[in-house]
Amino acid sequence: MSRGQNVHTPEEIVRIRHAAEVTASARDRIAGEVRPGMTTFDLDQIAGEIIRSTGGKSAFLGYCGYPGNICISVNEVVIHGIGRPDVVIAEGDVVSIDVGIEINGAIGDTARTVLAGQKDAPADVKRLLDGTKNALMEGIAAARAGKRVSDISRAVEQTARKNKLGIVRDFVGHGCGIKMHEPPEVPNYTGWGPGAVLVPGMVLCIEPMLTLGSGKVSIDRADKWTVRSFDGSLSAHEEHMILITDNEPEILTWQKMM
């Protein structure tokens, strides 16, 4: 488990803040395009157009060979879902949108989960969606200078367990900003150690990945990317980039229009 620190300069933070704002806007525009009857490939192509309109480029496309503009993860797919012409979004599907944009030498990375074509979610789905959002916000609230990464992990874990949600342990949050993945790693569970001390200038991606089942996952053997809940349970993914400051953490990818 990475325990390093990556403290950004004021000049880098200006660029990172802009990249994060651009990515947050793109994320919400893309999420607003989710419609029953469309394929995830259609959504990925729309996402590519939206990303290009920002003046930036997809931070995911080609990253370690990833073939999509964004990650589109439907129902039991937890993360890294690739847009496919044979995957049609149905009404009531749980759709996670993970967007990364590189612009002016900085990276924005953020995710949001929406319900396709429905305003009112069934009780279990509502518990999943609300619990994942709440776990994210509790994790952010714990990210104060002088605390440790494990304090974030504990807040996310406690909220997930309160909502009786499975915690994916095989994938974690991370530092971000100039590169897609920077130290430290930010797990959504405890028991791995105290982790790095949080200091002003650190930028972290906090991203609960939770399920209605056990939290165990498997990776698609064919595409080597798609991560599914092992038991087929529904999953959700929420992610914000935050800046550690001398006071409260600054949410760089805040959903400003919501």
Side-chain angles (χ1 to χ4, degrees):
M1 191 65 62
S2 170
R3 295 175 175 81
Q5 295 172 325
N6 193 16
V7 180
H8 291 284
T9 67
E11 184 275 333
E12 288 175 336
I13 290 170
V14 169
R15 290 189 284 126
I16 294 167
R17 184 179 283 116
H18 174 65
E21 291 174 355
V22 166
T23 308
S25 176
R27 174 204 61 210
D28 289 345
R29 288 171 62 190
I30 295 165
E33 295 288 340
V34 174
R35 299 284 187 280
M38 75 187 313
T39 69
T40 56
F41 178 80
D42 293 335
L43 184 59
D44 185 77
Q45 295 303 293
I46 292 170
E49 293 175 2
I50 290 173
I51 290 170
R52 286 188 290 273
S53 75
T54 69
K57 66 178 183 179
S58 169
F60 296 171
L61 182 62
Y63 183 77
C64 296
Y66 185 76
N69 291 296
I70 63 172
C71 298
I72 307 167
S73 304
V74 181
N75 294 333
E76 78 282 359
V77 178
V78 181
I79 53 172
H80 300 166
I82 301 167
R84 295 170 54 99
D86 60 342
V87 176
V88 179
I89 296 172
E91 184 169 345
D93 277 351
V94 176
V95 183
S96 296
I97 306 296
D98 191 356
V99 183
I101 295 179
E102 179 180 349
I103 186 168
N104 297 331
I107 301 287
D109 184 13
T110 179
R112 177 181 168 193
T113 301
V114 298
L115 192 64
Q118 290 184 357
K119 292 184 178 179
D120 298 322
D124 278 353
V125 176
K126 180 175 174 57
R127 173 166 58 85
L128 172 66
L129 299 180
D130 290 349
T132 306
K133 291 176 182 176
N134 290 339
L136 172 60
M137 298 312 296
E138 290 298 325
I140 292 171
R144 305 293 292 253
K147 290 193 174 183
R148 290 183 177 269
V149 171
S150 58
D151 292 304
I152 299 172
S153 303
R154 183 173 299 103
V156 173
E157 180 180 50
Q158 289 177 345
T159 306
R161 299 205 182 286
K162 178 181 177 181
N163 287 276
K164 299 180 180 179
L165 298 174
I167 301 169
V168 172
R169 299 170 68 93
D170 291 10
F171 297 88
V172 299
H174 52 93
C176 189
I178 300 303
K179 297 180 180 179
M180 173 64 67
H181 291 100
E182 300 175 350
E185 293 180 341
V186 186
N188 295 308
Y189 57 90
T190 57
W192 50 271
V197 175
L198 303 178
V199 299
M202 293 175 70
V203 176
L204 305 176
C205 286
I206 301 176
E207 48 179 322
M209 293 157 273
L210 307 179
T211 77
L212 286 176
S214 70
K216 293 182 180 180
V217 298
S218 63
I219 300 175
D220 190 284
R221 292 184 179 181
D223 67 33
K224 311 296 184 184
W225 281 102
T226 304
V227 178
R228 295 182 175 89
S229 60
F230 191 79
D231 56 11
S233 59
L234 294 177
S235 64
H237 177 206
E238 295 280 340
E239 177 183 13
H240 273 315
M241 285 178 72
I242 66 164
L243 171 67
I244 304 300
T245 74
D246 290 319
N247 299 298
E248 294 182 356
E250 178 184 348
I251 302 176
L252 302 176
T253 49
W254 186 250
Q255 300 173 8
K256 297 178 176 63
M257 300 304 294
M258 298 189 64

